[in-house]
Amino acid sequence: MKAHWLLISLPLFGCAEKTTQPATASSDSAQVAPAGTAEQGKAEAGKAEVGKPAPGFKLKDLDGKEVELQSFKGKTVVLEWWNPGCPYVKKSHGKGSLKGYAKTVTDKGAVWLSINSGAPGKQGAGVEANREGAKELGVENPILLDESGAVGKAYGATNTPHMYVIDPAGTLVYAGA
């Protein structure tokens, strides 16, 4: 499956607030593998590069279940940095270009993962805020918590929504905000 069809209508906008926090060893269970390696550990910021292997990661969803990027090898994966408190996220998922788009993409066989890199106490952070936001906006795809910001830093995510597309071979083919 080609990732090209996904790129046509991805929106270009976002909250101006910083979405990623400094990575700390104890703030959550995020694990990031530097691009091109299978080894798990913290990655340095800015490792993700279009045309290169996407940094692997393990994050927990809102039910506490661990989700690993590597488990989706062979599928196109869309990563959306998300913050349910962001006005741009609310608009795009409420009545804008992202409303129902994840379902359209997943119905065609791709995987859509929303990632919240907000630290505890920040706008839109935490399990309950994400559950409420997902319900309000009709978001049915998995929402992953990256409270340490390690995965956000590895991808260079700076605002919400910030979109990344990974092809079935695991190569990052699109990065845009």
Side-chain angles (χ1 to χ4, degrees), residues 1 69-77 109-111 166-170:
M1 171 187 273
L69 180 62
Q70 177 64 24
S71 69
F72 302 111
K73 190 165 177 105
K75 293 186 175 207
T76 298
V77 178
V111 174
I166 301 165
D167 73 11

Side-chain angles (χ1 to χ4, degrees), residues 160-176:
T160 56
H162 202 151
M163 311 298 291
Y164 297 82
V165 178
I166 301 165
D167 73 11
T171 302
L172 185 64
V173 295
Y174 176 84

